[in-house]
Amino acid sequence: MDENKKKIISKNIGNRIYNLRKSNKLSRERFAEICNLSSQHVYYMEKGDFLPGCMTIIDICNNFPITPSELLIDSLNINFNILDESVKADFEKLSNKDKKFIQELLKTSINLFLEK
């Protein structure tokens, strides 16, 4: 991975960690304590100078209302073709009633999202 891309990824994840900490109204020290880290470690992650490791991500996700996907979303290259095929295959297994329910749920969700 080239250094520029790594810096962008580190900054994106750092921003998400910072926003997560702030939204939970925690000091850097308290956040670090909860996640078994040093406050300096949290500081460097939030600045984007340090990329968190797998165990750190697990600790964050186990202690706060965030999933690894939410934490890493800007950093992942999602292969939408594979996702699309997987969703289609699962959708076909549903009953007609469930299919209609999911279609309505998606329509409503998309409309709400577009109204923002």
Side-chain angles (χ1 to χ4, degrees):
M1 175 182 305
D2 74 40
E3 281 304 307
N4 191 38
K5 187 172 183 178
K6 187 174 180 179
K7 285 180 186 180
I8 292 169
I9 290 171
S10 294
K11 195 71 169 163
N12 287 341
I13 294 172
N15 286 335
R16 289 200 184 278
I17 291 171
Y18 174 82
N19 291 332
L20 177 66
R21 179 174 66 80
K22 287 297 187 177
S23 70
N24 283 278
K25 298 176 175 63
L26 295 171
S27 67
R28 188 175 292 122
E29 291 76 18
R30 182 66 183 128
F31 184 88
E33 183 181 312
I34 291 169
C35 294
N36 301 310
L37 303 168
S38 71
S39 61
Q40 186 175 17
H41 189 92
V42 173
Y43 171 75
Y44 286 119
M45 283 190 309
E46 288 179 350
K47 276 183 56 179
D49 291 344
F50 187 80
L51 193 58
C54 184
M55 292 308 297
T56 299
I57 291 170
I58 290 169
D59 280 342
I60 291 170
C61 294
N62 281 337
N63 287 291
F64 294 95
I66 192 166
T67 65
S69 296
E70 292 169 320
L71 191 59
L72 304 172
I73 191 69
D74 297 328
S75 309
L76 300 173
N77 292 325
I78 299 172
N79 186 333
F80 285 105
N81 291 332
I82 292 172
L83 179 64
D84 187 43
E85 292 302 317
S86 173
V87 170
K88 281 181 187 176
D90 289 341
F91 189 77
E92 290 304 316
K93 296 175 188 174
L94 297 173
S95 69
N96 285 336
K97 181 180 176 184
D98 289 340
K99 287 178 185 177
K100 286 179 184 182
F101 174 77
I102 296 215
Q103 287 171 331
E104 289 303 315
L105 180 66
L106 285 171
K107 284 179 192 176
T108 303
S109 298
I110 290 169
N111 287 333
L112 287 173
F113 182 75
L114 292 174
E115 289 175 3
K116 285 185 181 180

